[in-house]
Amino acid sequence: MAGKTLYDKLWDAHLVTEREDGSALIYIDRQIIHEVTSPQAFEGLRLAGRKPWRTGASVATIDHNVPTTPFKSAAEIVDQTSRIQVQTLQDNTREFGITEFGIGDVRQGIVHVMAPEQGAVLPGMTVVCGDSHTSTNGALACLAHGIGTSEVEHVLATQTLVAKKMNNMRVSVEGDLSPAVTAKDVVLHIIGIIGTAGGNGYAIEFAGSAIRGLSLEGRMTICNMAIEAGARAGMVAVDQTTIDYVEGRPFAPKGEDWDKAVDYWRTLVSDADAEFDAEVNIDAADIRPQVSWGTSPEMVVPVDAMLPDPQAESDEVKRSGMQRAYEYMGLKPGIPVTDIKVDRVFIGSCTNSRIEDLRAAAEVAKGRKKADSVKQVLVVPGSGLVKQQAEKEGLDKVFIEAGFEWREPGCSMCLAMNPDRLEAGEHCASTSNRNFEGRQGNGGRTHLVSPAMAAAAAVAGHFVDIRELDQA
Amino acid sequence: MEKFIRQEGLVAPLDRANVDTDQIIPKQFLKSIKRTGFGPNLFDEWRYLDEGFPGQDSSQRPKNEDFVLNQPRYQGASILLTRRNFGCGSSREHAPWALMDFGFKAIIAPSFADIFYNNCFKNGLLPIVLSEDNVEALFKAVEGKEGFRITIDLEQQQVIPESGEPLAFEIDEFRKHCLLNGLDEIGLTLNEAETIRAYEARRAEREPWIFQ
């Protein structure tokens, strides 16, 4: 019999019961809650007269709606509907006895930055949140994926989820990454290869020497975008990097429990003889800094390439999608990526707003200035703690001196639910995860890049190969 | 949840692949704390020429007459026919809520994104996977005849076009059972509360830190 994959092990460890009809109940160790996808779930509980199964399993924060300019209470949020959601989360968490890192709490931040930072996500856990980028947390060798609001309610009420086992996919990136290539470039390259539906029905394990060589934060960037390849869950096996990351965090086990936990966590790797339903092998040496050009994350090219020709695409459905994307983006096939001018730059989001991301952007910004043609460069740390750390290192000053804006934590311009947004027709170099039509503002045009590439575009006024910044 | 047994209705064709949930219901409408009222803003950026915001009267807004759902021949459609990977992106359940609030009861496509697919069933909206060839044939049939209707028989797992052969589709037994009977999934799960507690006790022994 073949061995087990990491996903098989996580699934088996959380299986409560299998039903005759093939569905299963899996136990959920941790639920992360935010203001946008939870109000209807709490309302459902109230209407049915139900209580949360285990309040300690949930941890909440506000991120999608919050302004990134300083504010002290919900009453200061100008947008009425945003204010109601923020207030509603506060009321619901109080009523049901759930921990919330709310306004003014230094731990407040983007759900998928806050939770691992607190050690609220641990190896071997099942983690869900009403947010598709919950896959981020799989970097800690846990089974983490997004769910809908009905499921948020189901998990609150029963601590379980009705689930069907996914298939196993392994994406292996072997070899050494070139120095200018970051985790973001790796995952964009992967999505370019397997496509936005390539991972449908799969849990993806990211493996190989290039992945093992990444920091835990880099692995989060990779797993974050598993959903952009269609896979609800992405994960990376436990190694010393995982253990070192978790040690000492507020929610992490201590003392004897810690030793016991580490012994268990070290088993959270795919067995050598495990079989995967699909395997993708990538040579790290092939990966160059990436820029998305279209309206789907799979529409991505290396920065030193020309924009692709739809006529060369044999699949009719894909070809018409590319043509529509060119129309929306106001771009033409055959032009060099470096000819695309940017109007705004956004450095932030659950993909790239951790301290290492800010350091990478600051390294490029240091001693340089934002191009005059660029209207705005937003730098939005992922949490209050990331912001604090960045300020300790003086990164805020580097950004401000370069003409960038240093903001308060939140999701911000990744999805423009708060006041940070693009105007119609504007091109944005963005470290976020989705370049869908209108995502960053009605009519806005998003280009997905790494933090260093975003900072370089801010300085040059157009996309530039980070390896050639000073010649640009 | 309302039962889904058999549904007969007009078909609207949305000829695009990779329709993401940001398109189905744009972010500014996610600020509602209710499950209803999203219908007027379904596909907001494609349906209207101006930018929509919550709370406005959408009937007064300038419409994009070219968009399929604005065409007179598709008024009253309850079945959406579309292309591969429908519902990709954000996990927002506001997407199925908006589709249902608009009046759709079923969606037919060659494939769906996982989270969206799952969310549909929680609300009595039936996503049906047919082959690329069958979907293509349905697109031709719908475009070829104004008022083209389809019957969906969940019990028999068949899509029955008004002309042509019935097309079989697959569906998970548990989901089918819940839809046919309009069952409350939480109530069903709570029937197994003892099993869940027994599981917790086993886990707590092995991994006590999970329960601290």
Side-chain angles (χ1 to χ4, degrees):
Chain A
M1 207 177 107
K4 286 181 177 184
T5 66
L6 168 58
Y7 170 64
D8 294 338
K9 291 181 184 181
L10 293 169
W11 173 269
D12 289 351
H14 291 87
L15 193 60
V16 174
T17 178
E18 272 176 300
R19 295 164 173 167
E20 280 176 16
D21 54 32
S23 68
L25 271 190
I26 61 166
Y27 191 78
I28 301 302
D29 297 326
R30 176 73 68 210
Q31 172 148 243
I32 320 168
I33 293 172
H34 64 85
E35 76 277 20
V36 177
T37 56
S38 66
Q40 296 87 351
F42 284 113
E43 183 64 14
L45 284 188
R46 257 192 301 270
L47 288 173
R50 290 173 176 140
K51 295 261 173 270
W53 182 276
R54 185 162 70 82
T55 50
S58 297
V59 52
T61 193
I62 41 172
D63 56 2
H64 283 62
N65 267 308
V66 294
T68 55
T69 45
F71 67 106
K72 290 194 180 66
S73 72
E76 287 179 43
I77 301 175
V78 179
D79 181 286
Q80 186 194 342
T81 47
S82 291
R83 185 170 66 235
I84 291 171
Q85 274 194 337
V86 168
Q87 187 63 52
T88 302
L89 182 65
Q90 200 176 88
D91 296 346
N92 282 329
T93 51
R94 281 181 190 165
E95 178 183 340
F96 290 103
I98 289 167
T99 302
E100 186 201 357
F101 301 137
I103 299 167
D105 191 315
V106 74
R107 297 166 292 186
Q108 177 266 328
I110 304 173
V111 274
H112 315 306
V113 175
M114 172 278 286
E117 191 173 71
Q118 289 302 313
V121 170
L122 296 170
M125 275 185 166
T126 41
V127 180
V128 295
C129 174
D131 188 283
S132 61
H133 291 111
T134 307
S135 60
T136 312
N137 301 287
L140 284 152
C142 51
L143 175 56
H145 62 78
I147 55 176
T149 297
S150 294
E151 290 177 317
V152 171
E153 184 182 342
H154 192 280
V155 173
L156 279 169
T158 72
Q159 215 52 54
T160 65
L161 206 53
V162 179
K164 205 176 159 189
K165 198 172 174 200
M166 296 181 260
N167 291 320
N168 280 290
M169 180 188 285
R170 179 164 59 189
V171 176
S172 305
V173 187
E174 294 288 355
D176 296 323
L177 297 171
S178 22
V181 171
T182 67
K184 183 63 164 290
D185 303 302
V186 174
V187 73
L188 286 172
H189 178 90
I190 292 170
I191 296 163
I193 290 174
I194 68 177
T196 48
N200 279 1
Y202 290 98
I204 300 182
E205 179 177 345
F206 296 98
S209 59
I211 302 291
R212 284 196 301 277
L214 291 172
S215 69
L216 208 285
E217 292 190 5
R219 296 173 187 183
M220 287 192 213
T221 300
I222 303 262
C223 291
N224 173 273
M225 291 190 73
I227 185 66
E228 261 52 71
R232 274 197 293 169
M235 59 194 75
V236 176
V238 165
D239 62 7
Q240 194 56 43
T241 303
T242 326
I243 311 281
D244 291 345
Y245 177 89
V246 174
E247 189 165 15
R249 296 196 180 262
F251 285 60
K254 312 267 182 305
E256 258 177 59
D257 274 352
W258 171 257
D259 298 331
K260 197 173 162 189
V262 170
D263 285 346
Y264 169 56
W265 293 343
R266 289 202 189 276
T267 68
L268 297 173
V269 297
S270 287
D271 294 333
D273 58 345
E275 283 174 17
F276 288 82
D277 303 293
E279 292 249 27
V280 177
N281 293 297
I282 288 168
D283 184 348
D286 290 344
I287 308 175
R288 289 173 280 163
Q290 304 282 307
V291 180
S292 77
W293 62 268
T295 53
S296 163
E298 69 185 18
M299 296 173 178
V300 65
V301 285
V303 64
D304 52 358
M306 309 287 171
L307 299 193
D309 182 2
Q311 299 309 323
E313 174 59 61
S314 57
D315 181 316
E316 199 183 317
V317 174
K318 274 194 178 169
R319 187 165 61 240
S320 72
M322 286 172 77
Q323 283 159 343
R324 231 189 316 261
Y326 272 115
E327 209 171 294
Y328 181 84
M329 295 296 286
L331 295 170
K332 293 205 158 36
I335 66 162
V337 173
T338 48
D339 276 8
I340 304 172
K341 294 190 170 53
V342 303
D343 301 292
R344 289 182 205 264
V345 175
F346 171 60
I347 298 169
S349 87
C350 56
T351 318
N352 282 128
S353 65
R354 297 177 184 83
I355 190 67
E356 292 172 15
D357 300 314
L358 301 186
R359 286 177 191 146
E363 198 181 319
V364 174
K366 197 174 175 95
R368 296 190 172 98
K369 292 272 180 219
K370 167 183 90 64
D372 289 339
S373 58
V374 174
K375 294 175 201 166
Q376 184 182 46
V377 184
L378 282 183
V379 186
V380 184
S383 71
L385 285 167
V386 171
K387 180 168 187 266
Q388 208 173 54
Q389 179 62 29
E391 288 173 353
K392 215 162 103 186
E393 296 177 21
L395 306 185
D396 56 329
K397 293 198 179 62
V398 172
F399 291 129
I400 291 164
E401 275 162 26
F404 298 8
E405 294 175 32
W406 178 242
R407 294 294 188 96
E408 300 294 320
C411 298
S412 181
M413 210 200 274
C414 174
L415 84 169
M417 277 189 79
N418 77 345
D420 309 333
R421 49 178 303 167
L422 299 181
E423 295 298 325
E426 287 181 342
H427 288 266
C428 179
S430 178
T431 67
S432 56
N433 40 56
R434 289 192 174 129
N435 50 352
F436 298 153
E437 287 182 27
R439 170 85 177 176
Q440 293 191 289
N442 193 289
R445 296 159 169 169
T446 303
H447 300 274
L448 305 174
V449 288
S450 73
M453 287 281 288
V459 167
H462 56 85
F463 288 106
V464 52
D465 192 331
I466 185 77
R467 298 166 295 188
E468 297 165 4
L469 179 60
D470 287 320
Q471 289 105 55
Chain B
M1 194 170 77
E2 220 175 293
K3 290 179 186 179
F4 188 116
I5 299 169
R6 202 178 158 90
Q7 178 65 38
E8 192 269 343
L10 183 70
V11 186
L14 181 65
D15 194 1
R16 293 184 184 228
N18 297 314
V19 172
D20 58 76
T21 53
D22 275 86
Q23 289 312 323
I24 298 173
I25 183 82
K27 68 263 168 192
Q28 63 268 39
F29 305 108
L30 309 188
K31 296 179 186 182
S32 166
I33 55 172
K34 301 198 181 84
R35 283 173 189 259
T36 52
F38 298 102
N41 303 109
L42 174 71
F43 300 120
D44 198 272
E45 289 178 14
W46 292 340
R47 254 167 92 193
Y48 303 100
L49 296 171
D50 63 345
E51 186 180 353
F53 53 87
Q56 81 201 117
D57 178 6
S58 288
S59 66
Q60 303 303 313
R61 296 169 58 197
K63 285 195 172 72
N64 171 10
E65 301 295 346
D66 293 336
F67 184 61
V68 63
L69 297 186
N70 288 334
Q71 294 170 21
R73 62 183 286 191
Y74 298 120
Q75 296 313 302
S78 62
I79 296 165
L80 185 68
L81 178 68
T82 186
R83 300 289 185 179
R84 70 179 77 143
N85 200 30
F86 187 82
C88 61
S90 157
S91 59
R92 59 189 69 166
E93 197 163 314
H94 312 67
W97 294 339
L99 286 157
M100 293 204 73
D101 201 55
F102 181 87
F104 287 115
K105 306 281 187 202
I107 307 166
I108 301 175
S111 62
F112 292 90
D114 290 347
I115 301 177
F116 174 81
Y117 184 75
N118 205 25
N119 283 341
C120 286
F121 288 103
K122 313 291 179 189
N123 295 281
L125 178 65
L126 176 61
I128 297 175
V129 178
L130 293 179
S131 69
E132 294 262 5
D133 288 348
N134 283 335
V135 167
E136 179 58 31
L138 286 177
F139 264 99
K140 288 216 167 79
V142 169
E143 277 150 27
K145 181 182 176 283
E146 195 164 329
F148 189 86
R149 299 176 82 85
I150 278 178
T151 301
I152 292 160
D153 186 329
L154 179 57
E155 185 75 65
Q156 298 299 316
Q157 297 181 213
Q158 281 186 338
V159 170
I160 309 156
E162 62 171 50
S163 57
E165 289 297 302
L167 307 164
F169 64 89
E170 295 295 320
I171 180 172
D172 192 86
E173 273 305 311
F174 177 71
R175 285 170 166 155
K176 179 176 172 179
H177 176 71
C178 287
L179 276 182
L180 284 172
N181 298 291
L183 295 178
D184 164 19
E185 225 176 65
I186 295 178
L188 284 181
T189 301
L190 286 174
N191 289 339
E192 304 188 69
E194 285 313 310
T195 316
I196 300 170
R197 283 202 193 91
Y199 169 88
E200 280 182 321
R202 293 198 300 277
R203 272 297 291 295
E205 201 151 310
R206 209 172 65 224
E207 294 166 71
W209 56 90
I210 298 285
F211 299 89
Q212 281 159 6

